[in-house]
Amino acid sequence: MHLDHPETYPRRHTHGAAPGADPRRPDGSRRALRVGLGGPVGSGKTATVAALCRALREELAIAVVTNDIYTREDAEFLLRNAVLPAERITAVETGACPHTAIRDDISANLEAVEDLEESVGPLDLVLVESGGDNLTATFSKGLVDAQVFVIDVAGGDDIPRKGGPGVTTADLLVVNKTDLAPYVGSDLERMARDAEEQRGDLPVAFTSLVAPDGVRPIADWVRERLTAWTAASA
Ligand SMILES: Nc1nc2c(ncn2[C@@H]2O[C@H](COP(=O)(O)OP(=O)(O)OP(=O)(O)O)[C@@H](O)[C@H]2O)c(=O)[nH]1
Ligand SMILES: [Mg+2]
């Protein structure tokens, strides 16, 4: 499907792979910015997707692809909570380690993203949620233009120090559930220091999604990325 013979195989997929990502769809229109959300099981990826949709859906055309191993639970949660119209939410059942479908064989996810753009587009933003994984999970740059790695304070305040590609290289590191820090004895300042040591200038957002407007730092970061994406493809 990815062969470069337009006369035989019409070009279908528009890969990510920033920098230098092709921002155009085969018909010449600008494609959506694709943002991947990964991180350990239960850290708040779906809650982040839901909160982002609520915060941004009035100003942006958004769609979501979720990845679950054997179920469609994350998509069903988003549907139940009506964060977007049903036709804008697609579930990919990976049937294997979550990182396989976001990094090694991205075809099912690419297909899902492109089908959404075709059926409900044009879109500004597609959020791709990975199934919960470990600290090594990252997205292929062929699938997403930017990655958010979501960890939470209840997973232990030594996670930023432990590093790994998600913590170290994600375009945005989210440390979620700050409201739980006093109950689990997590030291947020230490987490911030360790994250900075691992990431240098790359941004870190501390969030509590149970707080009103708790998603704001992530929503602001998405807006910034979109502005840059739109400018690059103008
Ligand atoms: N207290 C608190 N709970 C949160 C917060 N964010 C998410 N949760 C809760 O944490 C649980 C897991 O959140 P999800 O969003 O389902 O986590 P996930 O990363 O998508 O999980 P998987 O997809 O199964 O890996 C849910 O019960 C959420 O309501 C937060 O900021 N504070
Ligand atoms: Mg989830």
Side-chain angles (χ1 to χ4, degrees), residues 30-42:
R30 186 177 66 236
R31 69 166 174 78
L33 177 73
R34 299 171 188 165
V35 175
L37 294 101
V41 175

Side-chain angles (χ1 to χ4, degrees), residues 45-46 74 129:
K45 297 177 292 299
T46 306
D74 283 350
E129 182 189 339

Side-chain angles (χ1 to χ4, degrees), residues 159-189:
I159 299 282
R161 184 177 51 72
K162 287 182 177 167
V167 165
T168 311
T169 66
D171 299 289
L172 176 67
L173 176 67
V174 173
V175 182
N176 188 32
K177 307 192 190 180
T178 53
D179 51 293
L180 298 183
Y183 305 105
V184 294
S186 281
D187 179 345
L188 297 181
E189 279 172 22

Side-chain angles (χ1 to χ4, degrees), residues 39-49 67-68 74 77 129-133 150 176-180 207-211:
V41 175
S43 59
K45 297 177 292 299
T46 306
T48 303
V49 168
N67 281 253
D68 275 309
D74 283 350
F77 175 89
E129 182 189 339
S130 167
D133 210 320
V150 183
N176 188 32
K177 307 192 190 180
T178 53
D179 51 293
L180 298 183
T207 54
S208 168
L209 297 176
V210 294

Side-chain angles (χ1 to χ4, degrees), residues 58-124:
E58 304 300 327
E59 62 192 271
L60 301 174
I62 308 174
V64 172
V65 176
T66 64
N67 281 253
D68 275 309
I69 306 180
Y70 302 120
T71 67
R72 300 164 51 87
E73 283 190 27
D74 283 350
E76 281 157 12
F77 175 89
L78 297 172
L79 288 167
R80 248 193 337 273
N81 286 275
V83 298
L84 289 178
E87 65 274 15
R88 288 172 181 257
I89 300 171
T90 298
V92 171
E93 249 180 72
T94 59
C97 281
H99 62 251
T100 308
I102 59 161
R103 189 183 64 202
D104 303 334
D105 178 359
I106 59 174
S107 51
N109 271 291
L110 266 182
E111 197 90 18
V113 170
E114 304 249 327
D115 284 350
L116 280 167
E117 288 215 88
E118 254 161 51
S119 58
V120 298
L123 295 168
D124 300 306

